[in-house]
């Protein structure tokens, strides 16, 4: 690893390679978040409005399955990068796939109803595969820029997180307006153009700004063993792609019928089982030292509570998006605000408050008052719980009005503010914790585990989010109430575990 790269402080006191990763992730998030809020509205829209005419629960479940699959793909994506492609090549291949996926969705509206639906879902598959390669590995490279660890790494991840949300903020404004006001597919296409910018920037500047970081994998000293390892990963990858292609072809041709709700329910158990099985394998056969086992146990605990947080937070494109569409007064001086624009509120707050939280962690660290990672997680859960408690009050106002009352947009805005503070207390800290705690040879896979938590959360959020419906207004307060209760209970449980977890992290520079 080049010390010139890691010691550089020319990007706001951080390595200039962080600027490239900031830009690449910004454009990837422009495309991802630009597409996501359109999905549930598009699929639930009537056929004569250009949509698929699906039931809300089905549309929401598909969004949940898609988002869960995006994050689930991070686990094999990290494994492929660790054992075969290397971080940098994995990111580049992922960017190509994501760009192709968005463009496939963009052109799906011009190919006729039957073929167009196949293009649409094929595009989603490409995005899932590409994000699985890009997302965990670009975060791992951010961690590699700070081999010294400590609060500076947390601050670097907070800046990186601001890049994520800059892209999300602009993407949702652009694609939301085009999708709701011009054509769904113009919005989808704009997301693809954004990803193309990210692909070009990384391809052109990675060698100069990142040096040797992420260029190669950790190799086995035995060349033959290394060759067998790479062959195993390569063959497994192509076999998995072959199975996926077969399932897609059967579904597209009508031979196989897929029920989104049934698939989503089954996936919940499968994803939790994958996490448990992975950690069991790691502890039994991963060759970990005693200290590495303790740190991996902490990762598992953080995984559980991160999944609970994301199950609430990721209701943004489902239950909260539908609430904005159906029950929120969106008139502003005669202009009807696109419902998708409310999704950008969180991103705007992230941009505003990311530097504040980055400075806060550094300020606390200098005074020996720094909160541990689990304490920051507990704070994040509590803040998100308060955000959903606000939505309980708003939903009750809708019910009291018989479903015909449009509530003030400030309910959503203040809810997103509290959720944003919760996100900043948990998500960048979680990313940084994975790179601190993970055994070096498993760092890509541990980043995949972090995104597996988001996968579980997105899936649960999708399954419950479709129950916000103007024809069944009484369901809405219950959705938000149970979400708030789960967050508050989780906060209390995690706070009780802070001290023992800190002892297990004794050898880790927080």
């Amino acid at each position: 690893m080049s010390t010139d790269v890691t010691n550089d402080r020319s990007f706001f006191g951080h390595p200039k390679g962080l600027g490239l990763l900031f830009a690449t992730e910004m454009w990837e998030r422009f495309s991802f978040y630009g597409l996501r809020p359109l999905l549930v509205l598009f699929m639930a829209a009537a056929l004569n409005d250009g949509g698929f005419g699906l039931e809300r629960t089905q549309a929401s479940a598909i969004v949940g399955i898609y988002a869960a699959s995006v994050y689930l793909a991070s686990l094999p994506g990290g494994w492929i990068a660790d054992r075969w492609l290397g971080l940098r090549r994995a990111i580049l291949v992922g960017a190509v796939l994501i760009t192709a996926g968005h463009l496939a969705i963009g052109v799906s509206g011009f190919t006729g109803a039957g073929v167009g639906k196949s293009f649409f879902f094929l595009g989603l598959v490409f995005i899932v595969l590409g994000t699985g390669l890009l997302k965990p590995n670009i975060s791992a490279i951010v961690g590699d820029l700070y081999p010294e660890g400590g609060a500076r790494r947390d601050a670097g991840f907070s800046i990186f997180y601001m890049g994520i949300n800059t892209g999300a903020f602009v993407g949702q404004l652009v694609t939301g307006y085009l999708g709701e006001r011009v054509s769904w597919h113009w919005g989808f296409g704009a997301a693809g153009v954004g990803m193309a910018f990210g692909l070009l920037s990384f391809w052109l500047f990675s060698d100069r700004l990142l040096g040797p970081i992420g260029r190669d994998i950790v190799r086995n000293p035995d060349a033959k063993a290394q060759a067998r390892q790479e062959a195993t990963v390569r063959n497994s990858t192509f076999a998995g792609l072959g199975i996926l292609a077969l399932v897609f072809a059967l579904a597209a041709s009508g031979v196989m019928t897929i029920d989104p709700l049934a698939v989503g329910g089954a996936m919940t158990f499968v994803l939790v089982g994958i996490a448990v099985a992975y950690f069991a394998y790691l502890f039994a056969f991963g060759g970990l030292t005693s200290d590495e086992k303790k740190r991996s146990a902490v990762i598992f605990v953080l995984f559980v509570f991160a999944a609970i947080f994301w199950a609430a937070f990721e209701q943004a494109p489902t239950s909260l998006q539908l609430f904005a569409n159906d029950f929120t007064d969106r008139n502003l001086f005669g202009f009807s605000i696109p419902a998708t624009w409310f999704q950008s509120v969180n991103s705007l707050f992230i941009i505003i408050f990311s530097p504040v939280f980055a400075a806060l962690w550094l300020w606390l660290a200098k005074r020996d008052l720094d909160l541990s990672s689990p304490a920051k997680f507990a704070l994040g859960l509590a803040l998100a719980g308060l955000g959903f408690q606000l939505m309980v009050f708003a939903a009750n106002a809708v019910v009291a009005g018989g479903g015909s009352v449009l509530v003030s947009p400030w309910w959503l805005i203040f809810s997103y503010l509290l959720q944003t503070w919760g996100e900043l207390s948990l998500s960048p800290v979680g990313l940084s914790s994975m790179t601190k705690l993970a055994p070096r040879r498993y760092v890509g896979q541990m980043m995949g585990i972090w995104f597996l938590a988001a996968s579980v959360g997105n899936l649960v959020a999708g399954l419950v989010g479709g129950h916000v419906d103007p024809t069944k207004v009484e369901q809405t307060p219950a959705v938000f109430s149970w979400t708030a209760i789960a967050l508050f209970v989780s906060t209390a449980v995690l706070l009780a575990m802070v001290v023992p977890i800190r002892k297990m992290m004794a050898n880790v520079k927080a």
Side-chain angles (χ1 to χ4, degrees), residues 26-27 29-31 33 162-172:
M26 180 187 72
W27 285 115
R29 293 291 91 178
F30 175 100
S31 66
Y33 285 107
M162 186 168 64
I164 291 174
N165 286 278
T166 300
F169 174 70
V170 177
Q172 288 167 141

Side-chain angles (χ1 to χ4, degrees), residues 211-280:
I213 294 177
R215 188 177 289 160
D216 202 3
I217 61 177
V218 177
R219 295 186 174 274
N220 192 307
D222 185 338
K224 290 183 178 179
Q226 178 64 33
R228 286 195 300 270
Q229 173 182 288
E230 293 187 28
T232 298
V233 177
R234 183 172 57 250
N235 294 338
S236 299
T237 300
F238 287 128
L241 291 174
I243 294 171
L244 180 61
L246 176 61
V247 171
F248 184 87
L250 292 174
S253 62
V255 174
M256 177 188 295
T257 301
I258 297 177
D259 179 358
L261 292 171
V263 171
M267 276 185 69
T268 303
F269 293 101
V270 171
L271 296 186
V272 173
I274 287 173
V276 172
Y278 176 78
F279 278 98

Side-chain angles (χ1 to χ4, degrees), residues 334-347:
F335 173 70
S336 179
I337 302 171
T340 49
W341 280 16
F342 282 90
Q343 296 287 291
S344 67
V345 171
N346 165 252
S347 302

